[in-house]
Amino acid sequence: MAPSRRISAGRSSSSSNRIGRSSPLSLRSTIIIVMITALFLGCAFLWKSYLNIAESLGGSVGGRSVVGDGGGGSSLVGWLPVLSNEQGENKEDEVTPLIRGVKIQQKQHHETAVATQQKIESVNEKATIQTTPPPPTTTTATNQNRLYCMVPFIWTPSALPAYEAIQSTWGKRCHVLRFFIDPIIGDDKVGFYNMTEASEAVRAREANLMLPNDVVILHDMKRPWHTCGEEENRNQNKPIGNCRNIWEKIWRAWVYVVTGKGGSQVGGGYSSIADVQTAEWFVKVDADTYLFPENLRRYVEYKKWSYEDHHYFGHVLNHRRSDRKVSIVAGAAVFFSRATLFAAAGAFEKMSMEKGDQEEDGTCRDAYTGTEEVVTAVCLKQFANVTADPALDANGREQISLYNVEDILTYNRTDMGEWWFWEGKTRYPCHDDGDCIAHLPLAFHGYKQPSFFLAFEKEFYGSVMKGEDDPSHYTQHAGIVAARKWDRFDVTYEYFERVRSAMRAADAAESGQPLVSSDVEKQSLEKEATNMAPQEVSIATSNNNRVYCMVPFIWTPAYLPSYHALRRTWGKRCDVLKFFIDPIIGDASTGYIDLRVNSTNANLPGDVVVIHDMRRPWNACVTESKEKLSKYLGEVMEVVDMG
């Protein structure tokens, strides 16, 4: 039995040894299994997250969406499903998840705007108990004076050149640019498509109608624009609720900007920041308006305004005071501070939707009207006690040209009489002298042809401004070059010269560079100085009968066109031509420079003499001509005595 026990024990020992040897292998296997399981679960989690993200962006697997691809600003409508013939029966089923995705996107964006909505309610609650508009702050506005540009638009082939012109000119200088459109796009040739319907969106893509990512579809619009022509063909028997929808588009657009409600931005890709938080200042601008976005920042800084205070401003008209008890901001370009936009959106959400089929009646409500300016002013007055503020420069010039610049420059208030354009406006000297558009303007209105936008771009930012050659330029005569042959050319050219001078001065002041900063401008001045050297007169004159021409002058952007005109004309026939100026140069818009303190940024031409000892600064409106004249004459006599 003993051997059996040994054998048994030996087997037992052998078995134990085998178990002992196999234990490390089992542990490694366990670790590998756990790692594979974790990797599988991680992949499954990532895949589920990907599906959720794809759905939230408005599409199914593959990132397809009814309204956009979420790409850069140049991408067009979108990633709609590409349906093969064998998919035909399932077309609606494949598109339905996309619409559901858009709804989810909207819901998520609305949830992120809860804090914003609470702020609106807080602002409205405070605004309704105000008896006067809040006073402006006394501190200078911050550098964060960004501008949100909102363009009401109709997406139809005939309007697309205007879209492209805005994009390639002033639109690129807005901090944010959005085009707000009706859900109906197209025309009677390519067809009309309702972008809130899945099947219609598919058909629009098939018709090659594409929406860029800076477009917002106001999908709750109740008044379709596209039936106007149809109605007119029915002997003007227009069904109520169609065509006159600009007021509805305006108020729905601003509600969307503040709350995210009622619209879908093409391309999706929303962050947690509502549009209202992307800028401090906001402008509704017509598609036939040329805007100067950078001058908005300059204007509010000059006014020392804060976006946290109420400001509603532009070209103010007063002819509706008699029947609506409010002054209005003309719709060409209507500016709001962020505080005022909060108040406006809150008012629009609270206003009555009843009687929406009727013309506006002086109350804040939805209305079948084309005069959105009136209802906007009424709502701001009624809900926030905010009134329109005229945008003027220090000399009373309008910051916004309500009609073509070429026409406004000829307006004379005395000759024209007090019609609605002038009614109730404070009178300024410029109303009769033809120079009544600001030299750092905010906007020019009334240019429906895109070619005008391209011409303005050359005048103030491109080849004309930079002195570059361009075969498309219009040349009237030597030294007079423009982007096109403007109406009333001489008057218009002189005004554009004033604008260019003011913009150069403003740029120089902001950058700390000399007033004449570019090599092109310096070479131009040097060339002009050479060309303006005294010329030999055609009649015989004695060397003893030379003439010294002394011009008392103020070196301010408004007068620089006169300086150039004098040098190009009679000035070049003087033996000596000198312009005598005060030591203070510039103006209220571009800033003043005292040459007695800082002469390095002046770069004045060689024919300018600075009278350093002047005691009465012209910019304080106390200049007396006797003192200046005596100093002028003293130098004149000295020069004459020296022969």
Side-chain angles (χ1 to χ4, degrees):
M1 294 298 293
S4 296
R5 285 196 295 271
R6 287 195 297 270
I7 294 171
S8 176
R11 288 175 179 172
S12 176
S13 176
S14 176
S15 176
S16 298
N17 290 339
R18 283 197 300 270
I19 293 172
R21 288 194 301 268
S22 66
S23 293
L25 178 62
S26 178
L27 179 60
R28 284 195 298 271
S29 299
T30 302
I31 293 173
I32 291 172
I33 291 171
V34 170
M35 291 178 64
I36 292 174
T37 303
L39 180 62
F40 176 80
L41 293 175
C43 292
F45 175 80
L46 291 175
W47 178 251
K48 182 174 178 60
S49 300
Y50 169 71
L51 293 178
N52 291 337
I53 293 171
E55 185 175 2
S56 70
L57 291 177
S60 58
V61 177
R64 295 177 177 179
S65 163
V66 173
V67 292
D69 63 358
S74 62
S75 59
L76 299 179
V77 162
W79 286 89
L80 294 169
V82 180
L83 304 177
S84 61
N85 292 333
E86 58 266 27
Q87 288 177 307
E89 294 298 321
N90 297 323
K91 182 179 292 188
E92 290 295 334
D93 292 338
E94 184 170 344
V95 175
T96 300
L98 304 183
I99 297 299
R100 184 173 63 252
V102 173
K103 297 295 184 183
I104 292 173
Q105 172 198 352
Q106 294 166 1
K107 180 180 179 182
Q108 291 176 340
H109 186 53
H110 296 167
E111 290 173 352
T112 60
V114 169
T116 299
Q117 182 64 24
Q118 291 174 344
K119 185 173 181 180
I120 297 171
E121 294 171 357
S122 174
V123 170
N124 291 335
E125 189 175 313
K126 295 177 181 178
T128 54
I129 62 174
Q130 291 176 341
T131 57
T132 58
T137 57
T138 56
T139 58
T140 303
T142 67
N143 290 331
Q144 273 199 321
N145 285 315
R146 300 168 295 178
L147 182 62
Y148 184 110
C149 302
M150 185 274 279
V151 185
F153 209 71
I154 295 175
W155 202 262
T156 184
S158 62
L160 299 189
Y163 167 83
E164 297 292 344
I166 292 172
Q167 275 277 5
S168 62
T169 59
W170 62 260
K172 61 189 178 184
R173 288 182 287 275
C174 295
H175 185 77
V176 179
L177 175 66
R178 295 279 186 268
F179 294 82
F180 285 74
I181 69 169
D182 306 71
I184 307 297
I185 68 173
D187 63 13
D188 54 358
K189 294 181 180 179
V190 301
F192 293 101
Y193 305 93
N194 187 339
M195 298 302 289
T196 63
E197 300 291 335
S199 59
E200 295 283 300
V202 173
R203 290 177 55 230
R205 180 176 184 269
E206 293 170 346
N208 202 33
L209 276 178
M210 297 177 289
L211 298 176
N213 287 350
D214 53 8
V215 168
V216 176
I217 303 171
L218 297 172
H219 48 66
D220 291 339
M221 291 284 295
K222 299 296 188 293
R223 301 172 176 88
W225 67 272
H226 67 298
T227 56
C228 291
E230 182 181 342
E231 295 163 9
E232 291 170 357
N233 291 333
R234 292 197 207 122
N235 298 319
Q236 302 298 318
N237 184 22
K238 298 182 178 181
I240 291 176
N242 288 327
C243 302
R244 300 179 68 188
N245 69 359
I246 184 62
W247 164 232
E248 182 187 6
K249 185 178 290 186
I250 297 302
W251 71 256
R252 287 191 186 278
W254 285 137
V255 168
Y256 169 84
V257 170
V258 173
T259 70
K261 297 178 181 178
S264 299
Q265 182 187 340
V266 172
Y270 276 108
S271 69
S272 61
I273 301 177
D275 272 16
V276 74
Q277 299 298 335
T278 62
E280 289 72 44
W281 302 90
F282 302 80
V283 60
K284 170 262 174 180
V285 54
D286 285 347
D288 61 344
T289 295
Y290 185 88
L291 195 69
F292 294 82
E294 71 277 21
N295 285 346
L296 177 278
R297 172 182 52 78
R298 291 163 176 162
Y299 182 72
V300 298
E301 289 176 357
Y302 156 69
K303 299 287 286 186
K304 298 183 180 179
W305 282 353
S306 168
Y307 63 88
E308 295 177 334
D309 297 322
H310 281 309
H311 298 292
Y312 159 56
F313 59 103
H315 190 122
V316 171
L317 300 172
N318 304 300
H319 63 292
R320 301 306 300 268
R321 285 181 183 173
S322 58
D323 62 340
R324 295 295 180 255
K325 312 304 180 187
V326 291
S327 295
I328 66 174
V329 175
V334 186
F335 292 87
F336 305 84
S337 63
R338 186 190 290 170
T340 298
L341 195 65
F342 273 121
F348 300 156
E349 286 198 298
K350 290 180 179 179
M351 69 183 181
S352 172
M353 295 294 125
E354 297 180 0
K355 299 192 295 184
D357 59 346
Q358 300 177 22
E359 178 62 70
E360 63 86 15
D361 58 5
T363 62
C364 181
R365 65 170 175 82
D366 187 31
Y368 175 61
T369 183
T371 57
E372 85 278 5
E373 303 100 322
V374 174
V375 196
T376 298
V378 168
C379 288
L380 285 172
K381 176 67 174 178
Q382 178 179 331
F383 281 90
N385 201 25
V386 175
T387 56
D389 192 16
L392 306 172
D393 73 3
N395 296 300
R397 303 184 187 97
E398 295 282 0
Q399 294 286 155
I400 299 166
S401 175
L402 201 53
Y403 299 117
N404 288 1
V405 171
E406 306 94 293
D407 295 330
I408 296 290
L409 289 171
T410 66
Y411 278 18
N412 184 297
R413 187 169 182 174
T414 299
D415 294 343
M416 300 174 87
E418 295 297 302
W419 57 298
W420 64 263
F421 180 87
W422 296 113
E423 184 177 335
K425 291 182 178 179
T426 301
R427 196 174 191 107
Y428 290 93
C430 72
H431 290 177
D432 290 328
D433 66 16
D435 180 23
C436 220
I437 308 175
H439 299 165
L440 285 174
L442 292 176
F444 299 155
H445 176 246
Y447 295 92
K448 297 188 181 298
Q449 297 300 320
S451 60
F452 283 105
F453 284 16
L454 302 179
F456 285 137
E457 198 72 6
K458 290 182 179 181
E459 293 282 3
F460 306 118
Y461 301 94
S463 53
V464 177
M465 181 70 158
K466 297 175 182 177
E468 298 172 348
D469 292 332
D470 186 328
S472 68
H473 285 167
Y474 168 75
T475 302
Q476 187 184 54
H477 50 76
I480 305 296
V481 176
R484 64 181 293 146
K485 186 178 181 181
W486 301 97
D487 290 342
R488 300 176 176 86
F489 185 84
D490 290 342
V491 173
T492 304
Y493 176 83
E494 288 182 6
Y495 170 68
F496 286 174
E497 280 281 271
R498 291 193 287 271
V499 173
R500 283 189 284 268
S501 296
M503 291 178 68
R504 290 189 187 103
D507 290 341
E510 291 166 358
S511 65
Q513 297 298 315
L515 194 61
V516 181
S517 57
S518 73
D519 292 337
V520 172
E521 293 170 15
K522 291 179 181 178
Q523 292 170 6
S524 176
L525 274 180
E526 291 170 358
K527 181 178 179 181
E528 184 176 284
T530 301
N531 292 338
M532 297 306 158
Q535 304 294 316
E536 183 177 350
V537 187
S538 57
I539 59 173
T541 58
S542 166
N543 287 337
N544 293 328
N545 290 317
R546 295 170 296 174
V547 60
Y548 183 108
C549 302
M550 184 273 289
V551 184
F553 208 72
I554 296 175
W555 200 259
T556 182
Y559 292 168
L560 296 188
S562 297
Y563 165 80
H564 291 296
L566 291 180
R567 293 185 62 186
R568 292 188 184 105
T569 56
W570 61 261
K572 64 185 179 183
R573 288 183 286 275
C574 297
D575 290 281
V576 179
L577 174 65
K578 295 290 184 183
F579 294 81
F580 287 75
I581 69 169
D582 304 71
I584 307 296
I585 65 173
D587 63 13
S589 299
T590 61
Y592 295 104
I593 298 176
D594 189 336
L595 298 177
R596 293 167 296 191
V597 178
N598 181 9
S599 61
T600 59
N601 288 340
N603 278 359
L604 297 172
D607 54 6
V608 171
V609 177
V610 180
I611 306 176
H612 295 282
D613 295 335
M614 291 288 294
R615 294 194 298 273
R616 300 174 179 83
W618 67 272
N619 58 316
C621 301
V622 293
T623 303
E624 293 186 7
S625 60
K626 288 183 178 179
E627 179 186 28
K628 183 184 286 189
L629 184 60
S630 65
K631 293 183 179 294
Y632 297 159
L633 293 178
E635 184 181 7
V636 171
M637 295 305 297
E638 181 179 356
V639 172
V640 171
D641 289 344
M642 292 173 61

